[in-house]
Amino acid sequence: FQHTALAGKRVVITAGPTREALDPVRYISNHSSGKMGYALARAAVEAGARTTLVSGPVHLATPDHVERVDVISAREMLAACQDLAGDCDIFIACAAVADYRPATVQEQKIKKGDERSTLELVRNPDIVATIAGGQPRPFTVGFAAETQDVESYARGKLERKHLDMIVANDVSAEGVGFASDENEVCVIWRDNAQRLERAGKLTLARQIMQLIATRLDAARMD
Ligand code: C5P
């Protein structure tokens, strides 16, 4: 079935981890599998949207009819998203972007030496906040992985990053989140929230796209 609100719309989704180089052979990253972002891309295509995945390094096949832009680092992911933002109706930030990167990337492999070593890190740009603060501004959706007070922390991020909607999950719960096939989330927007029961990521992705379609319709009525 097709949500009329999403038919022909341009949807850009970030997915997977980013990888921040230390030297030619080493990097800092995280365990994001990319499954939720890829499920969202599939659900967006099913809803009739023209869909682009901006993907960090993952071991997943590209869903049918999805355009995929591969990136490695957070700064590359930001640049790819900014290139696409001018022609984007809905931006969904599902990637687990590394918050920090090494302050310098060594040209040669770092040699071991002293017993202790410190690494200087610098903050990465916030991709979803940058896109939400830009012009033109797509309908912007973020994700929040929390281990406590899920709804209040997520609502804080919604406000701070100027998002239209945020999908929050409790990553401390067993059997959900990162590498899992299932998730259990709470979708929050400015004037309301809705809990989605534990389900497979594709099922949840379809429900999230449906909620986005409804919010888009509501925004058009305003
Ligand atoms: O602040 P926090 O990392 O918990 O926010 C998570 C949300 O922000 C996710 O939607 C994630 O994709 C996005 N994000 C981003 N760029 C960053 C950090 C997070 O787009 N540098």
Side-chain angles (χ1 to χ4, degrees):
F1 69 108
Q2 292 209 339
H3 313 296
T4 46
L6 296 179
K9 287 278 185 295
R10 289 204 171 270
V11 177
V12 175
I13 301 167
T14 69
T18 66
R19 213 179 250 183
E20 312 297 330
L22 264 164
D23 70 16
V25 296
R26 303 187 180 96
Y27 57 81
I28 294 173
S29 191
N30 60 67
H31 288 297
S32 169
S33 65
K35 284 177 185 169
M36 193 65 224
Y38 277 59
L40 283 162
R42 194 171 148 189
V45 166
E46 286 175 2
R50 294 192 280 173
T51 309
T52 304
L53 265 172
V54 179
S55 179
V58 297
H59 301 281
L60 295 172
T62 311
D64 286 346
H65 310 294
V66 170
E67 186 195 347
R68 172 166 162 187
V69 179
D70 284 315
V71 297
I72 306 283
S73 69
R75 286 190 295 176
E76 280 174 30
M77 186 173 274
L78 175 63
C81 291
Q82 286 178 313
D83 279 350
L84 294 162
D87 194 17
C88 169
D89 301 297
I90 300 163
F91 182 76
I92 308 176
C94 199
V97 183
D99 291 324
Y100 293 89
R101 66 176 182 275
T104 53
V105 183
Q106 301 300 323
E107 263 175 57
Q108 306 296 331
K109 187 179 165 192
I110 301 165
K111 295 288 180 203
K112 61 177 144 313
D114 299 343
E115 281 304 313
R116 276 167 183 267
S117 173
T118 54
L119 188 59
E120 193 186 357
L121 302 174
V122 293
R123 281 286 288 270
N124 265 330
D126 191 307
I127 297 165
V128 75
T130 307
I131 298 298
Q135 261 326 315
R137 182 186 179 283
F139 184 92
T140 308
V141 182
F143 274 71
E146 308 292 349
T147 55
Q148 52 172 332
D149 298 330
V150 176
E151 205 174 317
S152 64
Y153 277 112
R155 201 168 273 289
K157 283 177 193 175
L158 177 88
E159 304 286 343
R160 212 168 43 247
K161 301 188 189 216
H162 305 290
L163 310 178
D164 296 292
M165 190 186 265
I166 192 158
V167 182
N169 60 337
D170 181 349
V171 289
S172 68
E174 228 170 272
V176 299
F178 261 174
S180 164
D181 288 319
E182 289 200 318
N183 222 345
E184 182 184 315
V185 303
C186 182
V187 184
I188 300 160
W189 54 96
R190 240 153 260 278
D191 50 8
N192 220 332
Q194 187 174 330
R195 186 165 292 283
L196 302 180
E197 269 176 48
R198 183 181 290 214
K201 287 183 174 174
L202 183 58
T203 303
L204 282 173
R206 288 174 175 143
Q207 292 171 342
I208 291 165
M209 290 314 299
Q210 174 75 72
L211 281 170
I212 292 172
T214 309
R215 298 312 307 158
L216 259 190
D217 264 344
R220 269 205 308 232
M221 304 291 191
D222 284 346

